[in-house]
Amino acid sequence: MRMAWWLFIALLSIQIIFLQYMVEVYLAEHYDELIYYFGALGFMFVAAIIVYFFFQKTDQVSEE
């Protein structure tokens, strides 16, 4: 489960970085670029959910 924890933290840090970029783009009034960062943030969120469920299922199988 240690690998899952570090991978989940890495994905979470990438999401924080994308959120920071989105705030910077918003404050610079480049609204046309926001959709790309929003899409990337959504993709990283979905990837984090998939990684979480994958390692949760892996832990269940290893306990049996």
Side-chain angles (χ1 to χ4, degrees), residues 5 23 28 37 43-44 52 57:
W5 174 252
V23 170
Y37 287 118
F43 175 76
M44 292 310 298
Y52 174 76
K57 186 64 93 174

Side-chain angles (χ1 to χ4, degrees), residues 10-47:
L11 291 174
L12 188 63
S13 66
I14 292 171
Q15 288 177 353
I16 291 170
I17 291 168
F18 277 135
L19 192 61
Q20 178 186 359
Y21 282 149
M22 287 176 71
V23 170
E24 289 177 6
V25 166
Y26 179 78
L27 292 176
E29 298 180 357
H30 296 166
Y31 303 117
D32 55 333
E33 296 177 14
L34 269 178
I35 190 70
Y36 301 116
Y37 287 118
F38 186 71
L41 184 65
F43 175 76
M44 292 310 298
F45 180 72
V46 169

